Amino acid sequence: MSHTVGVRQVQKQKTRQALLDAALGLLAEQSLSSLGLREVTRVVGIAPTAFYRHFKDLGELGVALVEEALGSLHAMVRAILVEQAAAEERIDRTIAVVERHVREHPAHVRFVARERHGGVRAVRQAIAGELDRFAEEVAEALGSQPVSEGWRAEDVRMLAELYVDRLVTTAAELIDAEDGGADEAARVVRTARRQLRLIAIARRHWVAEGGMG
């Protein structure tokens, strides 16, 4: 009996993932608010009613896609920021992580970029929540660096939000740069690196000009 239950669970998980993958493929050309449930189930090869065994609606499926898209990026960026390396090295490695994430998960990045301000409220909220947790993790990492000594918590959080916003924007710009080829992608990376350097320089002066207290 337990073996049968285990097989059913595996099959259920496979079908759930197939629905996510099918939706992601269809979302390459349209927004989630315009996507039809029957479109998704047709690709997977299941009856529309079977969809509800896995998700209550397409909004819940979209939330799951958000978790897939952003979940793994948090840990990778945080790991770089907690290292006791020079600022330039951390910037280069962080940008490299974003480039690799875009290269390996272009459909997920495109989905988040489109739906961040899209028409499905649950998905907008899920993206905002993931970015909020991302900023919290980055703030914790930045706060542990010696240059942040004496900073107020709200200032560290503000700095973290700048980093996260820049990384997310860079990922979206790399997706947009696909049609422009390697030169356009290189321009996006150079700009992102310069912007993060500017933030790092301003960070040092912020302490001197009253960021403490």
Side-chain angles (χ1 to χ4, degrees), residues 82-98:
V82 297
E83 293 177 356
Q84 298 303 313
E88 290 281 345
E89 182 181 346
R90 285 198 301 266
I91 289 170
D92 287 345
R93 292 190 60 195
T94 300
I95 295 297
V97 162
V98 173

Side-chain angles (χ1 to χ4, degrees), residues 3-197:
H3 174 70
T4 302
V5 172
V7 171
R8 286 176 180 169
Q9 281 298 112
V10 170
Q11 184 56 49
K12 184 177 181 180
Q13 183 58 39
K14 284 183 178 179
T15 302
R16 184 180 189 276
Q17 188 60 52
L19 287 167
L20 288 169
D21 294 343
L24 193 61
L26 291 167
L27 289 168
E29 302 297 334
Q30 61 184 307
S31 66
L32 184 62
S33 60
S34 67
L35 183 65
L37 184 150
R38 288 179 179 276
E39 290 180 81
V40 179
T41 54
R42 189 182 302 118
V43 172
V44 178
I46 62 174
T49 53
F51 176 91
Y52 298 105
R53 298 173 191 164
H54 306 276
F55 303 100
K56 69 178 183 180
D57 53 29
L58 284 171
E60 188 174 85
L61 179 148
V63 169
L65 284 176
V66 171
E67 293 168 355
E68 276 191 350
L70 293 172
S72 63
L73 188 60
H74 298 201
M76 291 187 290
V77 171
R78 185 179 183 280
I80 293 169
L81 293 176
V82 297
E83 293 177 356
Q84 298 303 313
E88 290 281 345
E89 182 181 346
R90 285 198 301 266
I91 289 170
D92 287 345
R93 292 190 60 195
T94 300
I95 295 297
V97 162
V98 173
E99 282 188 279
R100 185 169 71 249
H101 191 74
V102 171
R103 188 165 56 249
E104 294 176 352
H105 308 285
H108 284 93
V109 174
R110 188 177 293 107
F111 167 73
V112 169
R114 177 183 290 139
E115 300 298 331
R116 187 178 180 184
H117 306 292
V120 180
R121 182 179 181 185
V123 174
R124 289 200 313 271
Q125 290 177 332
I127 293 172
E130 284 290 333
L131 295 182
D132 184 69
R133 283 187 288 277
F134 194 1
E136 193 63 35
E137 293 171 8
V138 170
E140 183 180 346
L142 294 175
S144 69
Q145 295 172 1
V147 70
S148 295
E149 185 176 351
W151 275 54
R152 293 176 298 199
E154 58 264 37
D155 289 340
V156 176
R157 173 62 189 228
M158 178 177 64
L159 177 67
E161 289 172 355
L162 286 173
Y163 269 94
V164 169
D165 186 68
R166 178 44 26 209
L167 296 180
V168 172
T169 300
T170 298
E173 289 175 350
L174 283 170
I175 286 293
D176 289 341
E178 285 179 335
D179 293 339
D183 288 345
E184 181 61 17
R187 184 196 64 77
V188 170
V189 168
R190 284 196 305 271
T191 299
R193 188 175 289 117
R194 284 166 61 85
Q195 288 170 332
L196 289 181
R197 285 181 61 202

Side-chain angles (χ1 to χ4, degrees), residues 196-210:
L196 289 181
R197 285 181 61 202
L198 181 59
I199 291 172
I201 292 168
R203 178 186 184 189
R204 294 196 294 270
H205 289 284
W206 180 261
V207 174
E209 295 176 4

